[in-house]
Amino acid sequence: MAELLAPAGNMEALIAAISNGCDAIYLGMQKFGARAYSSNFDMDSLKEAIQYAHLRNVKIYVTMNTVVFENEVEEMQRQMDALNEIGVDGIIVQDLAAFDYVVKNFLDMEAHCSTQMGIDDLDGTLLLKELGAKRVVISREVEIEKIKAIRKSANIPVEVFVHGALCVSYSGNCLMSGLIGYRSGNRGRCVGSCRKAYELVDTTTGTTLAKNYMLSMKDLNTIDFIDELREMDSLKIEGRMKEPAYVANVVSRYRMALDGNITEEEKDNLSKTFNRTYTKGYLFHEDKKEITNIQRPNNFGYEIGFISRIFRDKYEITLSRPLNQNDIIRISHNDEDVNLTAVKLYDKDDNLINRAEDVCYIKLKEKLARGDRVYISKDHQYYKTLDSMMIKEFKRFDLDIRVRAYPDSKLAIEADGLGFHYAYESDELVSEAINNPTTKEQVIKQFSRLNDTIFELNRVDFEGSNAFVPAKMLNAARRAIVQELYDLKLASKEKRTKTLQANDKISFAPKAPYLTASVMTKEQYDACVSCGIKTVYFENIVRRNQNTYQEKEGELLIGGYGGIYHYRATNPFVTDYSMNVVNATSCYELYKLGAKRITLSYELNKSQIEDLRRVYHEANDGDPSLEMIVYGRAPLMFTKYCPLKKMDQCGNCKTKQYVLKDEHGSFPIISHEDCTTTILNGKTLNLLDELQNIDGIEAFRLNFTIESKDEVVKTINKAMGKLNGSINRPVFDQDTDTRGHFNKEIL
């Protein structure tokens, strides 16, 4: 059966998950995890968590799936060493430096490829398997049929998200939070840019078409498809930022479903903890138009009725579901919410009641209208039920004992539990019975007191002759046996390490820096060629996600692991920014795979680039071959979702141009032929004034997206002048341009 994988942001959530039947837990520590704002674990609390979980046959995976800057690499390695020492089962990683360290150093602690790596096809899965991955977390945009085919062909365990929050962008390929707020999703500090309200503006006419939460995805819920999901190796519930009650609720329902005893009522109970309404996701072919909830970006709750009558001092609510005293409700009025705790409920005779089934009355100062919908956002009684589910033993393990008790001998007990055997002997001798010798029933009575353990007494064999064993001696034996079996179980986790092999050195001869360009139109391509740029990426771009690989000639710009696997034997290639390269080890590993040159991440600053170059040179006695994007509108998001379709503009992208607007500015929308979408930064990255001061970069790239032919030519001329020193005046425009992260470290 598929592993049920639960989130834990703290120890309470971990216990709640295990109490309700999960098979494994994923959690993060104070650094390197993609949920920096969760409570997370320190080393002491993680040791406690591992012991608690491993005793119950539950695995622990630690998320270290941020990108790792050069000055953090040694700390990352030390943390991984410590995690192996305390028995972590696997580490979930994004950065190639983190992946490489797990694979090369540990035999038993597994490397799992995070969804941040963007693996959405067979080629990418095969490459990571070849490199040593033990599991791949497939992108949330991939359909179930394709995942089944990947799993079958690649013959590697796959993990899929089945419930919880969804990112609108491909994970690991969202730069919006980082470039606008300097808090990067690739560093675990996403500010939730997709949960904000935006205006959709048709720039062709200047018309505002809508203002809502058009990028805010509904929550994933696939419990109706559990039979198909059984074929997967691991079913992942999102929610490390969620409260323990949420974890208990969701884990228990999916456990019921996997065990074949879920009811429709139990499925409905999923809506009684946090949700943004539900979607079956791309996993089960959700219509793109239905995958977002544009009304609100936070907890939706569930509908229970509507305002049916208005009196001078109170409102009548006609109910479709019961309402209890102390439930927290929200009433939606003119796209605004009135939130309150239902401390006082009245019947039609103005009597206070604690529960209403069909109709009730509330007194409010706020103005409401007939027809306003009423929702429960926190069901008080249900949360009391969840409280009782938070700390219990989901499963107890058999304890078998064989007791030998003879006068003037030590009490001897052979015990079997958790797959281990322990032979116990008492320190004291058993005495001869004067009147009432100890019986098997008395042994069973004392050894059945196991409620504070994970055991239940199963088989008891008793052999004795006129012996008296005090209850105190039996209790001491029980406690000692339980502890010894615990110790044997915890000590059984292997933590082996590998003997490291020396790396071959890879370096490149220094070259005078030159310009490259990436373009989106033939007109831009022709403009670049006419200006003398030798390397122009256009039809030779292989993007990171949503690919159908076709035969191509010449050098390629490749953005994802699948593209590398597919083309490495046939085409020379440069890796793109979407590989999120921020350290020397990642560069080295990509060169080993055949990369001719590596484009650095947008999220590096000047000093971090210098650190990367220095460390690479020290390790390889020579320089890396690097490319850096120094001009253009950065792609903030690449998404399978289309906001234009959601706003009933489908097809108009061929003749019109659109932007999203918020208080930070306007973000152009690029609609691709396959109906995927790129959202661009409102400001243009412009580092042209810095070109003379950036050392060790072979190629400086100009990234053209929505520029006209004349704008392309003008920009190229500026860049060439800056590169050769013929232009001395600044070309940076404070109003339209940004230096991105070049002078500021991202969080």
Side-chain angles (χ1 to χ4, degrees):
M1 185 179 289
E3 170 189 272
L4 182 57
L5 177 57
N10 53 41
M11 193 66 188
E12 291 76 18
L14 179 140
I15 293 172
I18 295 174
S19 295
N20 287 280
C22 74
D23 301 300
I25 296 278
Y26 69 102
L27 52 84
M29 300 191 70
Q30 304 301 317
K31 287 198 72 172
F32 306 116
R35 286 291 183 271
Y37 299 123
S38 178
S39 298
N40 294 316
F41 290 75
D42 59 23
M43 200 58 71
D44 288 337
S45 60
L46 182 56
K47 287 178 185 176
E48 179 188 353
I50 289 172
Q51 291 177 358
Y52 188 90
H54 281 181
L55 283 175
R56 293 159 177 82
N57 284 340
V58 172
K59 292 183 176 181
I60 295 286
Y61 309 130
V62 173
T63 57
M64 292 184 66
N65 55 343
T66 62
V67 293
V68 184
F69 294 132
E70 204 63 70
N71 64 349
E72 301 172 316
V73 169
E74 288 186 9
E75 183 183 359
M76 172 207 77
Q77 294 171 347
R78 288 194 301 270
Q79 181 168 305
M80 287 183 174
D81 291 340
L83 295 181
N84 185 58
E85 283 296 315
I86 63 174
V88 166
D89 297 285
I91 301 186
I92 305 168
V93 295
Q94 171 189 186
D95 197 295
L96 270 181
F99 178 88
D100 179 67
Y101 194 77
V102 180
V103 169
K104 288 183 177 176
N105 284 273
F106 309 111
L107 278 164
D108 305 299
M109 190 166 65
E110 298 181 345
H112 294 185
C113 296
S114 171
T115 187
Q116 299 287 116
M117 294 182 92
I119 307 301
D120 66 345
D121 58 26
L122 176 61
D123 294 86
T125 305
L126 288 171
L127 180 61
L128 272 301
K129 178 185 177 182
E130 174 188 308
L131 295 178
K134 298 301 181 185
R135 178 184 295 186
V136 173
V137 186
I138 302 294
S139 294
R140 284 170 276 199
E141 289 79 1
V142 185
E143 300 88 352
I144 187 69
E145 296 83 3
K146 185 175 179 181
I147 298 176
K148 289 179 181 178
I150 290 171
R151 182 177 179 272
K152 182 177 180 181
S153 297
N155 193 27
I156 183 175
V158 299
E159 180 178 303
V160 296
F161 281 88
V162 297
H163 196 94
L166 292 170
C167 295
V168 67
S169 174
Y170 272 89
S171 292
N173 220 2
C174 181
L175 303 174
M176 196 165 197
S177 175
L179 281 169
I180 295 173
Y182 291 95
R183 296 182 181 272
S184 169
N186 284 319
R187 299 281 293 163
R189 298 183 181 276
C190 175
V191 297
S193 301
C194 57
R195 303 298 181 190
K196 294 174 54 179
Y198 293 93
E199 287 183 63
L200 178 65
V201 179
D202 177 354
T203 58
T204 312
T205 62
T207 306
T208 295
L209 303 173
K211 183 176 182 180
N212 54 45
Y213 300 99
M214 64 189 70
L215 298 181
S216 184
M217 300 282 271
K218 295 178 181 177
D219 283 356
L220 183 65
N221 180 347
T222 64
I223 202 161
D224 287 332
F225 303 91
I226 204 71
D227 288 336
E228 281 201 71
L229 291 167
R230 290 179 201 279
E231 295 181 38
M232 302 296 105
D233 299 281
S234 183
L235 309 182
K236 188 172 198 170
I237 296 166
E238 184 278 336
R240 281 193 288 136
M241 300 282 287
K242 300 294 197 305
E243 62 183 341
Y246 173 93
V247 175
N249 188 38
V250 178
V251 171
S252 64
R253 306 311 142 188
Y254 277 84
R255 180 77 273 158
M256 291 176 191
L258 281 169
D259 293 345
N261 55 11
I262 190 80
T263 64
E264 290 303 315
E265 182 181 357
E266 294 290 2
K267 291 179 184 179
D268 287 344
N269 283 337
L270 286 169
S271 295
K272 293 184 178 179
T273 48
F274 187 101
N275 72 90
R276 298 179 177 90
T277 70
Y278 287 123
T279 172
K280 59 189 176 182
Y282 297 119
L283 186 62
F284 291 103
H285 309 282
E286 183 68 89
D287 186 331
K288 290 183 184 182
K289 195 172 182 179
E290 303 302 323
I291 207 163
T292 50
N293 179 347
I294 64 175
Q295 295 175 267
R296 59 186 296 112
N298 45 24
N299 188 23
F300 198 87
Y302 61 98
E303 187 173 336
I304 60 162
F306 62 95
I307 302 296
S308 48
R309 294 175 66 190
I310 301 173
F311 300 89
R312 186 175 60 187
D313 63 339
K314 61 186 176 184
Y315 294 97
E316 178 185 82
I317 303 175
T318 295
L319 296 168
S320 56
R321 294 191 185 194
L323 176 62
N324 291 290
Q325 185 182 22
N326 294 321
D327 286 348
I328 298 177
I329 63 175
R330 69 176 181 88
I331 303 169
S332 181
H333 176 71
N334 292 339
D335 295 326
E336 298 287 338
D337 286 339
V338 175
N339 295 285
L340 68 144
T341 301
V343 176
K344 293 183 178 181
L345 298 176
Y346 300 88
D347 64 13
K348 61 183 176 57
D349 298 319
D350 215 30
N351 298 312
L352 284 170
I353 56 176
N354 56 25
R355 179 179 171 87
E357 298 276 355
D358 303 312
V359 67
C360 70
Y361 301 83
I362 58 172
K363 296 180 179 180
L364 278 180
K365 294 179 181 179
E366 288 87 348
K367 294 294 183 184
L368 302 175
R370 288 182 62 183
D372 286 351
R373 315 311 291 183
V374 182
Y375 303 83
I376 288 184
S377 54
K378 187 170 184 178
D379 185 319
H380 179 69
Q381 293 297 323
Y382 189 68
Y383 265 71
K384 289 175 69 174
T385 301
L386 291 177
D387 286 343
S388 68
M389 297 164 56
M390 302 273 262
I391 304 177
K392 59 184 176 64
E393 293 298 339
F394 178 77
K395 177 183 179 183
R396 291 189 183 272
F397 300 86
D398 287 345
L399 176 62
D400 298 328
I401 58 173
R402 292 168 296 285
V403 181
R404 294 194 305 277
Y406 291 95
D408 301 321
S409 298
K410 293 183 176 182
L411 176 65
I413 303 175
E414 301 284 327
D416 291 284
L418 301 175
F420 297 92
H421 177 81
Y422 174 53
Y424 170 84
E425 279 191 346
S426 63
D427 293 331
E428 306 167 46
L429 299 178
V430 175
S431 59
E432 186 172 0
I434 298 173
N435 294 314
N436 298 308
T438 297
T439 64
K440 179 178 179 179
E441 287 69 27
Q442 289 170 319
V443 171
I444 291 173
K445 179 181 178 182
Q446 298 307 318
F447 264 83
S448 295
R449 296 177 175 177
L450 293 164
N451 283 342
D452 60 345
T453 77
I454 62 172
F455 291 111
E456 61 183 2
L457 192 60
N458 183 38
R459 192 180 77 246
V460 178
D461 295 329
F462 180 74
E463 179 185 322
S465 176
N466 201 37
F468 174 69
V469 186
K472 181 179 179 181
M473 184 181 286
L474 289 171
N475 290 338
R478 184 190 70 243
R479 287 191 291 269
I481 287 168
V482 166
Q483 188 58 54
E484 183 62 26
L485 290 174
Y486 280 4
D487 292 344
L488 288 168
K489 172 68 174 176
L490 294 174
S492 68
K493 175 73 172 82
E494 293 193 277
K495 309 163 187 177
R496 298 169 296 166
T497 56
K498 298 179 181 179
T499 302
L500 285 181
Q501 305 295 318
N503 285 333
D504 294 330
K505 298 180 187 297
I506 302 174
S507 63
F508 298 83
K511 293 182 180 179
Y514 55 89
L515 296 177
T516 67
S518 54
V519 302
M520 298 194 74
T521 67
K522 181 65 164 59
E523 183 182 60
Q524 292 169 342
Y525 175 84
D526 291 339
C528 290
V529 172
S530 69
C531 288
I533 294 184
K534 298 289 190 290
T535 300
V536 184
Y537 307 117
F538 180 31
E539 293 180 339
N540 58 340
I541 297 175
V542 181
R543 71 186 183 201
R544 175 181 166 189
N545 297 108
Q546 293 285 107
N547 268 305
T548 52
Y549 303 110
Q550 300 171 353
E551 186 175 334
K552 293 178 180 288
E553 294 183 359
E555 181 179 289
L556 306 178
L557 177 65
I558 296 180
Y561 293 101
I564 292 174
Y565 184 84
H566 193 86
Y567 292 107
R568 62 180 173 172
T570 57
N571 298 77
F573 66 92
V574 175
T575 62
D576 206 356
Y577 74 92
S578 51
M579 301 298 295
N580 292 327
V581 173
V582 299
N583 55 60
T585 303
S586 295
C587 291
Y588 180 85
E589 293 302 315
L590 291 171
Y591 294 138
K592 271 177 49 178
L593 291 171
K596 172 183 172 183
R597 193 167 57 251
I598 288 167
T599 307
L600 297 174
S601 166
Y602 274 102
E603 298 188 323
L604 283 170
N605 65 28
K606 182 179 181 180
S607 65
Q608 289 166 337
I609 295 170
E610 291 169 354
D611 286 346
L612 183 156
R613 290 182 51 241
R614 173 183 53 78
V615 171
Y616 192 92
H617 193 282
E618 289 172 358
N620 292 277
D621 300 327
D623 294 324
S625 175
L626 301 174
E627 185 157 333
M628 179 179 174
I629 299 171
V630 294
Y631 181 88
R633 292 179 183 266
L636 299 183
M637 291 183 180
F638 175 66
T639 173
K640 191 172 181 177
Y641 166 70
C642 180
L644 301 181
K645 182 176 182 180
K646 181 69 178 180
M647 296 296 108
D648 297 320
Q649 300 298 307
C650 191
N652 291 342
C653 59
K654 296 182 179 2
T655 56
K656 297 182 177 182
Q657 293 183 323
Y658 298 86
V659 298
L660 296 179
K661 287 186 69 175
D662 71 358
E663 69 274 17
H664 296 291
S666 298
F667 306 99
I669 297 172
I670 301 292
S671 299
H672 304 290
E673 287 295 321
D674 58 359
C675 294
T676 56
T677 302
T678 297
I679 297 173
L680 301 175
N681 198 1
K683 287 197 170 186
T684 301
L685 177 69
N686 186 346
L687 298 176
L688 300 184
D689 290 334
E690 310 290 339
L691 294 187
Q692 291 284 336
N693 303 317
I694 303 175
D695 295 326
I697 302 297
E698 177 179 323
F700 292 112
R701 190 195 308 173
L702 312 175
N703 176 37
F704 297 114
T705 51
I706 60 174
E707 291 85 354
S708 67
K709 179 179 180 179
D710 289 343
E711 289 171 325
V712 169
V713 171
K714 186 177 179 181
T715 300
I716 292 173
N717 289 334
K718 287 180 184 177
M720 287 181 169
K722 280 293 181 178
L723 189 60
N724 63 30
S726 62
I727 297 179
N728 295 317
R729 59 179 174 79
V731 296
F732 184 88
D733 187 327
Q734 193 73 39
D735 294 329
T736 61
D737 297 344
T738 175
R739 293 184 179 88
H741 302 298
F742 189 70
N743 295 315
K744 186 173 181 179
E745 183 173 354
I746 197 169
L747 295 176

